[in-house]
Amino acid sequence: GGLDDFALASRLSYLLWNSMPDAELLEFAGKGLLKDDKTLRSQTERMLKDWRARRFVHDFTGQWLDLSEIHEMKPDKLYSEYDEALAWSMPEETRRFFMEVLAKNLPVTEFIHSDWSFLNGRLAFHYGIPGIEGMNMRKVKLPANSHRGGLLTQASILKLTTNATYTSPIMRGAFVLDRLLGMPPSPPPPDVEAIEPDIRGAVTLREQMKAHKTQAVCASCHVKIDPPGFALENFDVLGGWRERYRVSKGGEGIDHVELPNHPRIGQRVHLARPVEAHGETASGQTFQNIDEYKNILLKDPDKITRNLARQLLVYGTGADLTFADRREVEKIVGATKSKGYGFRALLHEVVQSQIFRNK
């Protein structure tokens, strides 16, 4: 049963190159050899080393992380540091980061936290990391106190999961659950009003959401969504680090200060109340900030692997997974675990799986 050799060749080629199979792959398919495990593995590896595999990097990150939509939201004029150089650098960091994890077969946990990333002068300045000049992206070891590392703290992801004017713990929390942990939350009930933050800075979003959570129908989801959402509150609309909320007007308790990481020297903004990034996970583990929250996630590499396996299978087959596929997904997770959770190893296990070959 399952796909014939030519159908498998087409599926593999569309997964890795987003194109038709080449002559070599068709030759193996014509001889009926592609279903052989070793041949399939060697052909997958050959195709990953080809320049055309960059299409996989571009298209998969576009679908998995919504990276193809990075420029759809133009930030409010409150965030005047947003310029073309920063707009270009944001998704470039994420794609190059993904490519490096794949190329070096780094553990999938690097997507949650790493001590390195790809930066240029503009993005490094935005992150407050000194000593990097020019627009050329390069691999950089991150300072220990940078609060960066992994996908969660990259400006592209932080910008994608927000609105033009303010950050939303609900949007960000739902994104983390869905895309990184494989636990998509249920949509809110139709009669529940969305929370609009007080942009004058008088009431924090956390205070508003307390009232929201008293509704039983909302509480069961918020207990899962809120922790990652609040853990990321130290990052503003553009993914810049903040200790206090930026607001549009001055007033009582609101300071007018100079921004340290703004391309125009002397640019001033109004800052309101301090950010609170602490929380407690659904299982009762507490954290004070994003660094501690990431440490909680890193304790369960199987969850990260399982989600990535599912994301790759849906992308590669074009079909949703069913309850019946769970056992095969667990086989992929187990095999990847035995190989140090390497991401390239995971991709190979996905291609070797019965789901990819047959679905």
Side-chain angles (χ1 to χ4, degrees):
L3 304 179
D4 65 33
D5 280 68
F6 285 106
L8 184 56
S10 288
R11 174 168 284 182
L12 185 61
S13 192
Y14 276 106
L15 168 69
L16 301 179
W17 289 352
N18 195 11
S19 72
M20 300 286 286
D22 66 353
E24 183 172 332
L25 196 60
L26 287 172
E27 188 181 341
F28 278 103
K31 292 176 180 174
L33 296 172
L34 205 53
K35 285 187 176 174
D36 173 69
D37 291 359
K38 274 190 175 176
T39 305
L40 185 57
R41 194 171 289 275
S42 66
Q43 283 300 302
T44 303
E45 190 59 29
R46 174 184 75 85
M47 294 171 75
L48 280 171
K49 288 175 179 170
D50 190 284
W51 67 268
R52 283 168 285 194
R54 289 182 186 181
R55 296 172 190 163
F56 165 67
V57 174
H58 188 279
D59 296 345
F60 180 67
T61 55
Q63 179 173 306
W64 172 37
L65 302 170
D66 287 340
L67 209 57
S68 55
E69 297 171 20
I70 181 73
H71 300 305
E72 287 191 10
M73 183 276 283
K74 192 167 188 333
D76 186 83
K77 59 180 184 296
L78 199 58
Y79 294 90
S80 58
E81 64 265 48
Y82 188 62
D83 56 23
E84 284 188 16
L86 189 57
W88 178 84
S89 306
M90 284 177 171
E92 199 62 22
E93 174 188 19
T94 305
R95 289 189 193 110
R96 291 186 188 224
F97 182 89
F98 181 91
M99 207 183 299
E100 182 78 356
V101 176
L102 176 62
K104 301 277 174 67
N105 193 28
L106 299 175
V108 298
T109 48
E110 299 280 300
F111 289 125
I112 301 298
H113 183 68
S114 62
D115 62 1
W116 60 275
S117 195
F118 277 83
L119 303 178
N120 58 14
R122 180 67 192 91
L123 198 55
F125 182 69
H126 183 61
Y127 288 172
I129 296 172
I132 299 167
E133 302 292 330
M135 282 298 288
N136 182 40
M137 301 291 289
R138 72 216 77 158
K139 190 176 181 181
V140 171
K141 187 162 174 62
L142 296 167
N145 62 347
S146 70
H147 305 294
R148 304 288 169 174
L151 292 173
L152 283 176
T153 54
Q154 290 180 8
S156 63
I157 304 301
L158 293 159
K159 178 182 180 291
L160 274 164
T161 53
T162 189
N163 297 301
T165 316
Y166 55 86
T167 55
S168 164
I170 297 170
M171 275 177 74
R172 283 181 172 169
F175 183 91
V176 173
L177 289 180
D178 184 21
R179 307 307 171 88
L180 290 169
L181 304 181
M183 301 159 53
S186 305
D191 56 342
V192 174
E193 287 184 28
I195 299 172
E196 293 287 336
D198 177 2
I199 56 172
R200 294 159 310 182
V203 184
T204 68
L205 203 57
R206 186 183 286 266
E207 287 166 342
Q208 285 178 277
M209 284 171 69
K210 269 184 191 168
H212 209 243
K213 286 199 299 189
T214 57
Q215 301 177 52
V217 72
C218 299
S220 62
C221 277
H222 275 286
V223 75
K224 297 173 192 155
I225 292 172
D226 291 359
F230 280 120
L232 293 168
E233 272 292 86
N234 273 120
F235 300 98
D236 65 23
V237 164
L238 296 178
W241 181 262
R242 65 183 176 189
E243 301 285 349
R244 294 166 69 187
Y245 289 101
R246 196 183 300 191
V247 290
S248 54
K249 290 179 183 174
E252 191 179 337
I254 291 175
D255 297 324
H256 195 219
V257 303
E258 189 176 321
L259 271 180
N261 302 321
H262 199 291
R264 289 199 297 278
I265 295 167
Q267 185 74 27
R268 301 176 79 81
V269 293
H270 296 288
L271 293 182
R273 299 171 71 159
V275 171
E276 297 175 276
H278 62 86
E280 183 178 328
T281 67
S283 58
Q285 298 172 88
T286 60
F287 59 88
Q288 292 304 311
N289 52 37
I290 184 59
D291 304 323
E292 291 184 11
Y293 180 73
K294 286 198 287 189
N295 284 335
I296 292 170
L297 296 187
L298 290 171
K299 291 175 186 171
D300 193 355
D302 280 9
K303 184 180 281 185
I304 316 299
T305 310
R306 186 176 298 111
N307 171 58
L308 271 165
R310 296 177 73 91
Q311 298 280 358
L312 287 164
L313 284 164
V314 170
Y315 176 81
T317 63
D320 287 332
L321 299 183
T322 64
F323 186 80
D325 295 320
R326 287 178 68 171
R327 185 177 293 178
E328 188 68 11
V329 170
E330 290 310 311
K331 276 175 65 178
I332 295 170
V333 173
T336 308
K337 180 178 182 176
S338 71
K339 293 170 183 170
Y341 294 105
F343 181 55
R344 198 182 190 91
L346 169 61
L347 184 53
H348 274 292
E349 293 304 326
V350 164
V351 171
Q352 293 282 327
S353 72
Q354 292 305 308
I355 299 172
F356 186 80
R357 295 181 184 214
N358 299 331
K359 203 172 177 84

